[in-house]
Amino acid sequence: MKQTTQESALLHAILEAAVDAMIVSDDAGIILQANPAACSLFQYDASEMIGQNVKMLMPKSLAKQHDGFMRHHIETGEKKIIGIGRDVEGQRKDKTVFPLHLSVGHSQVGDQRLFIGILHDLTRRRATQDALSRSQRLDAIGQMTGGIAHDFNNLLTVVIGNLELLQMRGVTDRQSPLVKEALESAEMGADLTSRLMIFARQSNLKPAKTDLRDLCGDTLTLLKRTLGATYHIRTDFAQQVDPVMVDPVQLQSALMNLALNARDAMDGRGELLVSIANVTIDDTYMAQETDIAPGDYVRLSVNDDGAGMSVEAQQRAFEPFFTTKSEHGGTGLGLAMVYGFVRQSGGHITLYSELNHGTSFRLYFPALPVVHEAGATKVPSGENNGLPRGKGQTILVVEDNPKVRRLSLERIRDLGYVTQEAISGDDAYALLKDGMQVDLVFSDLVMPGALNGYDLAAKVVAEFPDVKVLLTSGYASDVVTTAMSHERVYDILHKPYRQSDLAFRLQALFS
């Protein structure tokens, strides 16, 4: 009996300590045990899982096949997942579907057949693979484009050369305009291939040590006249910005491309915000959020309050010849050129957009090492060690993007808080009205439904005065959110943010 008690205690300790989710079920699929990692992964309490069929953790398509798989294995012994493991999909309590790796083993305890499932969340790995796939696709397109552009340049050299020789040797008055038009078209073709070479990162950049504030200030002075009086340009340049190595001409061209794209998206009038600041990416969460290697960067952000971009348009925005403005003469090369220039400069570019709310492009250039004070090198502004932690307070995370929501939940739990979640302002308000007890609502600003972040915050302040509110936005400033009606001014935590920013903001609210 003593040995059985010790074995039971050992099994319990293993289940409690395991990082991966572990679920024990019988041959009918009824859950007998679920460790804390499994409860966290699927967002259920253990009491909600034990006694239920494992099909509750599967999307419908897989759940329909589960009984057949089990029956086939028991009757034939054939292994499809058991003892092998494979990538499948799971379904959380909120019905969101996510990728996971499932390994199943089985054992006989007396007359009872038990199945032990070990599940590993693949969400981060899948996101990394998707980002790598997009990068590789653009690299492949760039290589192909560079080769084609090179061959076209050779062809156009022959065409232009022969047309110029023909022009020099004399043509009739009737032939002259034809030759002139042919030359102009060939030169336009040469300009097109030169822009393709920029996307392919095969152009000859002339980088120089540059202060982006000076360069962008000069460019924006020109742009104010180009954009017209109905467009307002705002700047937010940090007082201290590290120098970077960029080609000044290409940087000005990139900024003009982004500004003209913004003008077209704003359709007649609007506000453009250009901001520049040092950014240190030194924590796992921000690197994951931006898909950028840790290090010191100077970030140039271009934000508009225009029509925004669909998810498909965002995914393809940097591909050459993809355009949403074909009826207005767009070639689809502007953003491809910006992407190629930034990457060839050793930097990164990210895009955030919401339909009907605007778009934000962020260009990250590696900062040159700088000594800011006598003999002292720059120290990263945010350290992950010793961050203030919560005391078990409950935070309701309100975010419609499932990937961002999962990341936010993980970040907040890592800081010692308990989390709940909602997919919209409407959903969050309904949960609060139904009696959900929380200490703080952490909400995105732009969400589908009747309630945006400001609307939700106003209702929380009015109806649940003991609940604190923290708002977040993917836009670099209130250039977009000023269009939303709100009486009270809220401090916005702007994405992407560091774990230290979140930790100290939460500490300030709870102090």
Side-chain angles (χ1 to χ4, degrees):
M1 183 68 181
K2 182 178 178 181
Q3 185 178 4
T4 303
T5 303
Q6 287 179 337
E7 289 174 351
S8 178
L10 179 60
L11 174 61
H12 179 75
I14 292 171
L15 288 172
E16 289 289 315
V19 175
D20 282 335
M22 299 179 70
I23 293 174
V24 181
S25 66
D26 62 17
D27 54 6
I30 303 302
I31 299 173
L32 304 177
Q33 284 186 293
N35 71 340
C39 297
S40 176
L41 179 62
F42 290 99
Q43 301 170 348
Y44 287 102
D45 291 333
S47 59
E48 296 177 288
M49 297 173 66
I50 294 173
Q52 302 297 318
N53 196 288
V54 291
K55 289 187 287 187
M56 70 182 292
L57 309 177
M58 307 173 189
K60 288 183 179 179
S61 57
L62 185 59
K64 288 179 180 178
Q65 303 176 56
H66 175 264
D67 291 344
F69 287 153
M70 295 297 294
R71 187 168 53 253
H72 181 76
H73 170 72
I74 292 171
E75 292 174 355
T76 67
E78 183 180 347
K79 297 179 180 180
K80 291 190 175 180
I81 292 182
I82 294 172
I84 300 173
R86 68 168 56 175
D87 293 349
V88 296
E89 289 183 330
Q91 180 174 280
R92 294 187 171 91
K93 185 177 181 179
D94 64 1
K95 304 304 180 185
T96 56
V97 176
F98 66 102
L100 55 82
H101 184 81
L102 170 63
S103 300
V104 180
H106 66 93
S107 180
Q108 193 82 22
V109 179
D111 296 333
Q112 188 176 30
R113 186 193 297 263
L114 299 180
F115 293 87
I116 300 93
I118 301 176
L119 308 98
H120 180 73
D121 189 355
L122 298 179
T123 302
R124 280 193 179 186
R125 184 189 300 176
R126 187 69 55 83
T128 302
Q129 289 172 341
D130 289 346
L132 179 61
S133 176
R134 286 194 299 272
S135 179
Q136 289 175 336
R137 184 178 75 248
L138 286 171
D139 286 344
I141 293 173
Q143 292 177 8
M144 179 184 69
T145 302
I148 293 173
H150 180 269
D151 290 343
F152 265 98
N153 275 336
N154 289 335
L155 295 172
L156 289 168
T157 299
V158 175
V159 171
I160 292 172
N162 279 292
L163 286 171
E164 288 179 334
L165 285 173
L166 184 60
Q167 196 175 47
M168 290 168 59
R169 290 177 181 178
V171 291
T172 66
D173 292 341
R174 190 175 177 183
Q175 294 169 333
S176 181
L178 298 177
V179 173
K180 183 180 178 183
E181 287 181 8
L183 263 174
E184 288 174 351
S185 296
E187 286 167 354
M188 286 176 62
D191 178 63
L192 180 66
T193 56
S194 70
R195 287 189 280 164
L196 285 171
M197 294 291 277
I198 294 174
F199 168 74
R201 298 178 235 166
Q202 296 180 15
S203 60
N204 295 318
L205 296 183
K206 298 178 180 178
K209 187 176 180 179
T210 303
D211 186 325
L212 288 184
R213 294 171 299 182
D214 296 337
L215 195 57
C216 291
D218 294 342
T219 308
L220 292 175
T221 300
L222 298 173
L223 275 170
K224 286 179 181 177
R225 292 193 289 268
T226 304
L227 295 183
T230 58
Y231 297 96
H232 178 53
I233 298 178
R234 287 174 49 207
T235 58
D236 181 15
F237 296 171
Q239 290 186 349
Q240 187 177 61
V241 174
D242 293 338
V244 296
M245 289 294 291
V246 296
D247 184 321
V249 174
Q250 292 299 336
L251 189 281
Q252 287 182 314
S253 176
L255 180 55
M256 293 185 75
N257 255 310
L258 294 174
L260 294 175
N261 270 358
R263 178 199 63 185
D264 294 341
M266 290 186 285
D267 193 24
R269 64 177 57 252
E271 184 171 272
L272 182 72
L273 172 75
V274 179
S275 58
I276 300 172
N278 289 338
V279 176
T280 299
I281 297 178
D282 62 352
D283 80 39
T284 303
Y285 286 115
M286 193 169 181
Q288 179 183 345
E289 200 169 349
T290 58
D291 190 30
I292 296 174
D296 293 328
Y297 296 86
V298 178
R299 181 176 65 200
L300 166 62
S301 300
V302 180
N303 314 270
D304 67 68
D305 59 355
M309 302 170 68
S310 67
V311 174
E312 180 195 6
Q314 292 179 57
Q315 291 173 341
R316 300 189 59 194
F318 300 116
E319 294 181 10
F321 303 114
F322 175 78
T323 179
T324 58
K325 302 182 295 181
S326 54
E327 68 277 10
H328 301 299
T331 64
L333 281 177
L335 291 179
M337 289 171 57
V338 175
Y339 174 87
F341 155 67
V342 173
R343 293 302 299 269
Q344 192 174 356
S345 301
H348 303 265
I349 183 168
T350 63
L351 163 62
Y352 178 86
S353 186
E354 296 272 2
L355 278 175
N356 303 317
H357 288 284
T359 300
S360 177
F361 286 94
R362 298 185 181 102
L363 283 59
Y364 295 81
F365 297 98
L368 294 177
V370 173
V371 176
H372 291 288
E373 297 179 3
T377 57
K378 186 171 75 170
V379 178
S381 58
E383 292 292 338
N384 289 326
N385 296 327
L387 292 181
R389 295 183 58 78
K391 299 177 181 178
Q393 298 99 324
T394 300
I395 296 178
L396 174 59
V397 176
V398 191
E399 170 64 61
D400 61 302
N401 184 307
K403 290 183 179 179
V404 176
R405 187 170 65 251
R406 284 194 292 271
L407 179 62
S408 300
L409 291 166
E410 188 176 346
R411 300 178 95 159
I412 292 170
R413 288 181 194 132
D414 280 359
L415 291 172
Y417 298 94
V418 176
T419 59
Q420 298 287 350
E421 61 183 292
I423 61 175
S424 68
D426 300 347
D427 183 37
Y429 182 58
L431 290 172
L432 293 172
K433 292 289 283 185
D434 288 342
M436 177 180 282
Q437 298 296 309
V438 302
D439 299 294
L440 182 143
V441 172
F442 180 47
S443 175
D444 191 25
L445 274 176
V446 180
M447 293 178 292
L451 300 179
N452 61 41
Y454 282 130
D455 297 331
L456 176 62
K459 286 186 175 293
V460 170
V461 170
E463 300 179 35
F464 309 95
D466 294 332
V467 177
K468 304 179 188 304
V469 176
L470 176 60
L471 298 178
T472 182
S473 173
Y475 297 101
S477 84
D478 294 341
V479 68
V480 173
T481 57
T482 45
M484 298 179 181
S485 176
H486 58 284
E487 297 179 358
R488 179 172 170 177
V489 176
Y490 294 90
D491 194 16
I492 309 296
L493 179 60
H494 293 295
K495 305 171 186 173
Y497 51 82
R498 301 162 75 179
Q499 187 74 339
S500 57
D501 297 330
L502 176 62
F504 285 108
R505 195 70 64 88
L506 291 175
Q507 181 196 42
L509 287 168
F510 283 122
S511 61

